[in-house]
Amino acid sequence: MESNSTATKPCFSFCLFLWFSLLVLKANAEVHYHDFVIQVTPVKRLCHTRSIITVNGQFPGPTLLVRNGDSLVVKVVNQAKYNITLHWHGVRQLRNGWADGPSYVTQCPIQPGGTYTYRFTIQSQEGTLWWHAHNTWLRATVYGALIIHPKEHSTYPFATPKREFPVILGEWWNSNPIDVIRQALKTGTSPNSSDALTINAQPGDLLKCSSPETTVFPVGPGETILLRFINAAMLTELFVSIADHQMTVVAVDASYTKPFKTSVIIIGPGQTTDLLIQTNQPAGRYYIAAHAYQSGPPNTPFDNTTTTAIITYNNQITIAKPKLPVLPAYNDTATVAAFTAGLKSPGPIKIPEPVNENLFFTVGLGLFNCPSRKTCSGPNNTRFTASMNNYSFVTPTRQSLLQAAQLGIPGVFTTDFPASPPVKFDYTGNNISQSLYQPIRATKLYPLKYGSVVQLVMQGTNIYASEEHPMHIHGYDFYVLATGKGNFDAKKDTAKFNFVDPVRRNTIGVPVKGWAAIRFVADNPGVWFVHCHIDSHLTWGLAMAFLVENGVGKLQSTIPPPLDLPKC
C-alpha cells in the first residue's frame, strides 16, 4: 500500500501540472465566429457591371485572421441560386473531413436557402492559407485569405514586419464564369480565357476603367513589409515581380522556408507565397505586376493581360506612372525551374521512412469522342478531357465519398485506383498512340493504411498536349523531394532527391513534360481529394481521392459527422 501511495504522489503532481498547462493553452487559444452569407452582388470591372456571387457582398471575401491553435466556426447561409461548398485550402482538418468542403467528396453541397456550419481547429500551422468555393466555377469570385499568425508570445522565424498585406491574384470574366464553363462543356472545347487578371479583385491601371480602384499598399521608408501572395486564379499560373525591390521568400503554403532572394516568383493556382521586401528605395510609387506563365502549346489561348497594384511611399500622389518591373517571357520554363529549385525548408528535416506505398500517377489531358448526333469543337471533332493513370474522375451526385465510406454505402466508388498506369508508354514523347487518348470515366479511390509512408511520383504526360499542372492534396502537407524534366527514371532520378531540407507544400506544380516526387505520412483518416487546381482540368476529370483508413482508437479515426451536414 505504501509503495502505491508513494507512486501516486508524483503522478498526481504531474497530472495536476498537465491539467493546468492544458487550461493555460486552451485559454490562450480563441474561437472565431463568422457568418458567411452567399449572395448576389453587382460589381463593376472593365467598364462592365455584372452580378457576381460573393460572401457578405465582399470581393474578395473576408480575410480571416487567426493564431496557430485557434478554432473557427463559420456559419454559411446560401442565399444564391447555386449549390455551394467552401474549402479551407491547406488546413489539415485532422480527422475532420466534414469541414474540408469539396462538393460530393466530403459533403453534399449547401443548397439554395440552406445552411451549414464549418467547425475546425488550426493545428500546428502558421502562415498564409486561403478559402474558396469548391463546386462548379463559383471559385472565380468566392474566395478570401486565411492568415494564421504564430501563437501568442511567439514570433516569426524572420524579422518582424512593420506591416503585412494579403495580395490575392485572380481573374475576371465580363461574362458569368458559370456560363463560361457550361459553354465549354457543351461544345467540348477549352473555356474562354478571362478578360483580365486581378490583384485583390482589381485589374490595375494598365486596363480600361480600372485606374481609380487600383489596389494600393501604403508603406513608409526603411520598413520591412510582409506580402502574403495567394493565387486564386481559375486557369492561370503567374509570374510576379516588384519594381526595384528584391523579394525574400520566407514561406510557401503555410510552411516556412529558408530565406530565398529573388526578383520574380512563380505561383500556381492554389499556392501561397510569403515574402519580405525592404522599403529602401527613393520615395515614390512602384508597381507590383503579374502576368501569365503559359506552359501549354504555343497556340493555346490565354489571358495575356498584366495586372498591377501599387506600393506607395508615404501615400505619395503624383501624376507620374509608377515604375513597372520586368517580367519573364510567358513561356519561361527555366525561370520556373530555378525558382522551384530554390525553395528549401529552414533546416534539416527528418524524412519519413521507410516507404510503404510507392505510387506513380500520370497526370494530363486527353480527348473523348464526340457523342453521336452532336458536334464537338475540340480537336478533330472531339471533346477535351483529363485523367490520372488513365481514369477520368467522375464526381458522385447522390452521396459524398466520405459519407459513403463512413456509412458503408455501396455503389458510390470503388477502391481499385491503380498504383501505377495500367499501360506504360513514353509519357512525354511526341508520338503517343491515339489509343491512349481516351481515358476511362470512373470514381476510383486508392486505399491507404493509417500511418503508412507514401511516396508519390506525379508524371506529366503529352497525351494530346502537355502543360504544367498544379496538383493539390487535401488534408495533407507533403515534402517535395524533387522535380524534373522528361520521363521519371527511378534508377537515375532518385539520386536527385533532396532528403536533407526539402520544402513542404500542399500544392506542387508538375512541370510541363516532367515529374514531381513527394512524400508524406498517411496520418489523417478520411477521404482526401487529389486534383489539378486549374479548374478546367478538374472539371474534365484530372482528379482522384485517397481513402485513408482509421487507425487504432478514436484519436486515429474520423470523427462522427455533424448533425447539420447537408443532405444531397
Side-chain angles (χ1 to χ4, degrees):
M1 292 294 294
E2 184 176 339
S3 60
N4 287 341
S5 175
T6 304
T8 59
K9 288 180 181 178
C11 177
F12 174 78
S13 300
F14 173 76
C15 291
L16 187 62
F17 168 77
L18 183 61
W19 175 77
F20 179 78
S21 299
L22 289 172
L23 280 180
V24 171
L25 288 173
K26 188 173 181 180
N28 288 337
E30 293 185 48
V31 180
H32 302 263
Y33 295 88
H34 297 275
D35 289 332
F36 275 18
V37 179
I38 311 299
Q39 62 188 76
V40 176
T41 304
V43 169
K44 185 176 182 179
R45 297 290 187 276
L46 303 181
C47 315
H48 294 264
T49 298
R50 182 166 67 76
S51 292
I52 66 172
I53 306 301
T54 66
V55 169
N56 299 347
Q58 300 177 40
F59 181 47
T63 293
L64 303 182
L65 298 172
V66 300
R67 292 186 181 275
N68 182 4
D70 287 356
S71 297
L72 281 152
V73 178
V74 184
K75 181 181 179 181
V76 179
V77 179
N78 187 5
Q79 294 182 357
K81 65 179 181 179
Y82 303 105
N83 290 346
I84 196 166
T85 63
L86 295 183
H87 170 52
W88 316 92
H89 187 111
V91 176
R92 291 222 44 204
Q93 303 290 10
L94 293 173
R95 302 172 46 236
N96 185 21
W98 312 111
D100 192 44
S103 185
Y104 295 109
V105 176
T106 60
Q107 68 168 97
C108 298
I110 308 166
Q111 298 177 18
T115 300
Y116 178 49
T117 300
Y118 292 91
R119 301 172 177 87
F120 56 95
T121 299
I122 306 296
Q123 300 184 55
S124 301
Q125 291 186 281
E126 296 178 10
T128 304
L129 297 175
W130 63 300
W131 58 266
H132 60 80
H134 210 301
N135 57 311
T136 186
W137 269 32
L138 293 176
R139 182 167 77 79
T141 57
V142 180
Y143 59 78
L146 171 55
I147 295 173
I148 309 169
H149 288 114
K151 291 182 177 181
E152 197 171 0
H153 308 304
S154 297
T155 59
Y156 297 116
F158 47 78
T160 301
K162 175 70 173 180
R163 314 171 198 241
E164 57 180 73
F165 303 102
V167 188
I168 310 179
L169 308 165
E171 290 159 319
W172 171 264
W173 278 265
N174 286 331
S175 53
N176 183 351
I178 305 298
D179 294 336
V180 171
I181 188 59
R182 283 177 176 171
Q183 179 67 15
L185 292 174
K186 181 179 178 181
T187 61
T189 190
S190 296
N192 291 336
S193 301
S194 52
D195 294 289
L197 303 173
T198 60
I199 296 178
N200 289 356
Q202 295 293 341
D205 59 8
L206 300 184
L207 282 84
K208 59 183 180 180
C209 304
S210 302
S211 186
E213 293 81 23
T214 296
T215 301
V216 175
F217 300 110
V219 301
E223 295 179 343
T224 298
I225 308 297
L226 173 59
L227 299 175
R228 299 176 178 273
F229 282 90
I230 298 166
N231 188 345
M234 302 289 286
L235 305 176
T236 311
E237 297 194 271
L238 293 163
F239 288 118
V240 185
S241 189
I242 305 174
D244 290 353
H245 290 74
Q246 187 177 58
M247 300 177 285
T248 301
V249 176
V250 292
V252 293
D253 295 356
S255 291
Y256 293 120
T257 64
K258 190 174 296 181
F260 169 44
K261 295 183 183 300
T262 181
S263 62
V264 63
I265 67 170
I266 176 69
I267 182 167
Q271 293 182 326
T272 71
T273 302
D274 292 0
L275 57 86
L276 300 176
I277 62 168
Q278 304 298 324
T279 53
N280 53 12
Q281 296 301 304
R285 300 193 304 155
Y286 300 84
Y287 273 133
I288 301 174
H291 77 197
Y293 166 49
Q294 162 50 16
S295 64
N299 296 324
T300 303
F302 68 99
D303 184 339
N304 63 1
T305 63
T306 298
T307 181
T308 55
I310 299 171
I311 292 175
T312 179
Y313 284 55
N314 295 331
N315 291 315
Q316 283 206 350
I317 300 175
T318 173
I319 60 173
K321 278 278 188 183
K323 188 169 184 179
L324 196 65
V326 176
L327 289 165
Y330 295 120
N331 62 350
D332 190 346
T333 57
T335 293
V336 175
F339 179 81
T340 302
L343 297 175
K344 312 285 185 186
S345 285
I349 297 296
K350 182 174 176 55
I351 303 296
E353 56 182 358
V355 173
N356 307 113
E357 296 276 0
N358 227 317
L359 306 178
F360 185 86
F361 292 174
T362 55
V363 298
L365 308 181
L367 302 171
F368 276 140
N369 285 335
C370 191
S372 60
R373 297 187 301 279
K374 285 190 176 181
T375 300
C376 296
S377 302
N380 301 317
N381 193 36
T382 60
R383 54 192 304 113
F384 281 110
T385 186
S387 66
M388 297 179 68
N389 276 358
N390 206 43
Y391 286 100
S392 185
F393 184 80
V394 176
T395 305
T397 57
R398 296 184 178 180
Q399 191 61 265
S400 78
L401 297 175
L402 182 57
Q403 287 170 288
Q406 290 294 301
L407 300 175
I409 301 172
V412 180
F413 63 85
T414 61
T415 56
D416 56 348
F417 187 88
S420 62
V423 178
K424 311 297 188 289
F425 59 98
D426 181 3
Y427 306 112
T428 58
N430 295 319
N431 298 302
I432 296 174
S433 170
Q434 292 194 13
S435 64
L436 294 165
Y437 276 33
Q438 302 207 28
I440 300 166
R441 287 171 51 81
T443 308
K444 292 181 180 290
L445 278 57
Y446 190 89
L448 292 171
K449 291 191 178 301
Y450 183 92
S452 58
V453 175
V454 182
Q455 182 166 294
L456 169 60
V457 174
M458 289 178 281
Q459 172 71 61
T461 67
N462 197 32
I463 296 177
Y464 177 68
S466 60
E467 58 183 284
E468 179 155 306
H469 298 283
M471 299 298 297
H472 174 47
I473 301 182
H474 287 229
Y476 285 90
D477 292 328
F478 47 77
Y479 291 109
V480 181
L481 302 181
T483 60
K485 294 181 179 179
N487 296 335
F488 178 75
D489 183 332
K491 293 181 180 177
K492 178 182 67 175
D493 292 327
T494 303
K496 304 173 185 176
F497 284 6
N498 178 3
F499 291 121
V500 178
D501 55 358
V503 69
R504 189 171 62 186
R505 306 209 68 147
N506 61 55
T507 306
I508 180 64
V510 177
V512 55
K513 292 187 179 181
W515 52 269
I518 66 173
R519 191 178 291 188
F520 64 95
V521 179
D523 58 357
N524 193 9
V527 175
W528 303 106
F529 212 20
V530 181
H531 65 91
C532 181
H533 225 276
I534 294 175
D535 266 42
S536 56
H537 298 177
L538 171 58
T539 304
W540 291 335
L542 210 169
M544 57 82 65
F546 286 122
L547 172 58
V548 182
E549 300 171 1
N550 288 335
V552 178
K554 288 185 177 181
L555 295 182
Q556 295 183 359
S557 301
T558 298
I559 64 174
L563 296 177
D564 63 339
L565 189 70
K567 294 180 172 58
C568 289

